[in-house]
Amino acid sequence: MKPTLFLLAAGMGSRYGGLKQLDGLGPHGETIMDYSIYDAINAGFGKLVFVIRKDFEDDFRRIVLSKYEGHIPCEVVFQALDALPEGFTCPEGRTKPWGTNHAVMMGETAINEPFAVLNCDDFYDRDAFRVMGKFLSELPEGSTGKYAMVGFRVGNTLSESGTVSRGVCENDENHHLTSVVERTKIERQGGVVKFLDDDGETWVSIPDTTPVSMNFWGFTPDYFAYSREYFKKFLSNPKNIENLKSEFFIPLMVDELISTGKATCEVLDTTSKWFGVTYPEDRPEVVEKLAKLHADGIYPEKMF
């Protein structure tokens, strides 16, 4: 069974002109999402599922989905503040979505096969889709608790315009993830990659090849049931209800499953070079990189 690609697009709104996710950065007006979908199709993914806001459905189908018709089956699911387990209600005054893993939970009705999850506004590059597609497609039928994460080499994920935030990964001798530590300030200094330690004063050197998470995960459908149960625990914590900006993130769920021995998460090495528009100053460089990929024949003039 071909794996599914699940794209986190709930951050899109109806103001089309100002949306980073739909900015035409490629030489023929391609969005970054177009490259992800093109690479996913070539890596053997068989279906797309997008999680969006319900109020954006008409515009999304017209502007986005229409482009992929005839190339790959597509489905849409919706993330909403009130999409909560029975017995729970959204706190008064909360406007912030419940986070990336809550968005993933919305895919349960549409996904019955191994699937990959990623951001729709990051350029992940072809090899990342190859390694994830291979992992998911080779899972024995009925597999549970065998997950994966594309571990980008930190040196391939930096911005020349400033520091970046990355989940720095540690894994065991079997390449299974043991921890992800969010480092909010990482940059190259004098040719060496460094992050600012928790004390806010000490810069710590790490190798260029250190794996980091760029929110490109691979799961089997049992992940939905685990998420449902753990989300109830999350909502039962008064701190998460009182804090109107608390979020149920994917790494939080993965860490819970690893620490309790319910799942393993293989860190997949990739030669891919991530890029995205972290800062407005990054845009011209991204446009230049995409133009070169087309000029070199990596991508055709018309992808869709």
Side-chain angles (χ1 to χ4, degrees):
M1 184 179 292
K2 289 186 174 183
T4 285
L5 185 67
F6 191 16
L7 296 106
L8 304 181
M12 289 186 179
S14 55
R15 290 183 58 194
Y16 173 50
L19 287 173
K20 183 171 74 168
Q21 297 96 331
L22 298 178
D23 189 5
L25 297 167
H28 314 291
E30 297 89 351
T31 68
I32 283 185
M33 189 162 58
D34 289 338
Y35 294 95
S36 290
I37 291 169
Y38 182 85
D39 286 339
I41 292 171
N42 284 311
F45 285 81
K47 182 174 73 175
L48 306 177
V49 176
F50 298 86
V51 57
I52 64 171
R53 293 202 328 259
K54 180 66 177 175
D55 63 356
F56 188 43
E57 181 180 9
D58 291 344
D59 283 347
F60 188 84
R61 290 187 182 279
R62 177 175 54 85
I63 298 166
V64 179
L65 284 198
S66 60
K67 187 186 304 185
Y68 309 125
E69 285 177 356
H71 294 279
I72 187 171
C74 301
E75 293 189 44
V76 173
V77 296
F78 306 103
Q79 184 181 22
L81 285 173
D82 60 358
L84 300 175
E86 188 175 349
F88 293 92
T89 56
C90 185
E92 185 178 350
R94 182 173 181 113
T95 58
K96 190 175 184 63
W98 289 103
T100 51
N101 208 68
H102 179 253
V104 170
M105 290 168 62
M106 301 304 104
E108 185 169 9
T109 58
I111 299 174
N112 300 297
E113 57 282 319
F115 64 101
V117 177
L118 48 68
N119 298 332
C120 65
D121 54 354
D122 288 318
F123 181 87
Y124 289 104
D125 204 5
R126 180 162 299 176
D127 187 64
F129 289 92
R130 182 190 65 79
V131 297
M132 181 60 81
K134 183 175 187 292
F135 174 87
L136 294 174
S137 62
E138 291 180 353
L139 286 173
E141 191 170 346
S143 291
T144 60
K146 294 187 184 300
Y147 308 147
M149 182 204 82
V150 178
F152 284 78
R153 300 169 187 175
V154 66
N156 287 340
T157 73
L158 304 178
S159 167
E160 294 183 6
S161 304
T163 62
V164 296
S165 177
R166 300 285 180 258
V168 178
C169 303
E170 292 186 4
N171 41 275
D172 61 21
E173 64 277 4
N174 297 316
H175 305 289
H176 288 157
L177 185 68
T178 56
S179 71
V180 180
V181 179
E182 191 71 18
R183 298 297 182 185
T184 56
K185 292 187 182 297
I186 303 178
E187 65 182 3
R188 193 179 296 279
Q189 298 178 2
V192 179
V193 179
K194 297 183 178 182
F195 68 80
L196 189 62
D197 204 358
D198 294 337
D199 62 12
E201 298 179 0
T202 308
W203 287 91
V204 180
S205 303
I206 54 175
D208 266 53
T209 54
T210 302
V212 296
S213 169
M214 300 303 298
N215 220 30
F216 194 163
W217 302 89
F219 301 117
T220 45
D222 57 295
Y223 187 78
F224 293 120
Y226 285 131
S227 295
R228 279 200 316 272
E229 289 308 306
Y230 192 62
F231 191 41
K232 292 175 185 175
K233 291 183 181 178
F234 178 90
L235 294 171
S236 297
N237 185 334
K239 289 183 180 178
N240 292 330
I241 294 300
E242 293 163 8
N243 178 3
L244 299 180
K245 293 187 177 180
S246 63
E247 292 185 73
F248 184 35
F249 290 119
I250 294 171
L252 183 69
M253 185 70 243
V254 173
D255 182 66
E256 166 72 9
L257 295 175
I258 290 172
S259 62
T260 56
K262 293 175 181 174
T264 59
C265 183
E266 187 170 335
V267 179
L268 307 175
D269 182 43
T270 180
T271 57
S272 283
K273 295 186 177 181
W274 171 96
F275 57 82
V277 185
T278 306
Y279 299 93
E281 296 85 354
D282 293 329
R283 192 182 189 280
E285 184 184 357
V286 169
V287 169
E288 184 179 329
K289 286 179 177 177
L290 292 175
K292 187 175 189 309
L293 288 170
H294 282 271
D296 290 345
I298 306 298
Y299 295 101
E301 183 173 333
K302 183 173 175 57
M303 293 194 293
F304 300 103

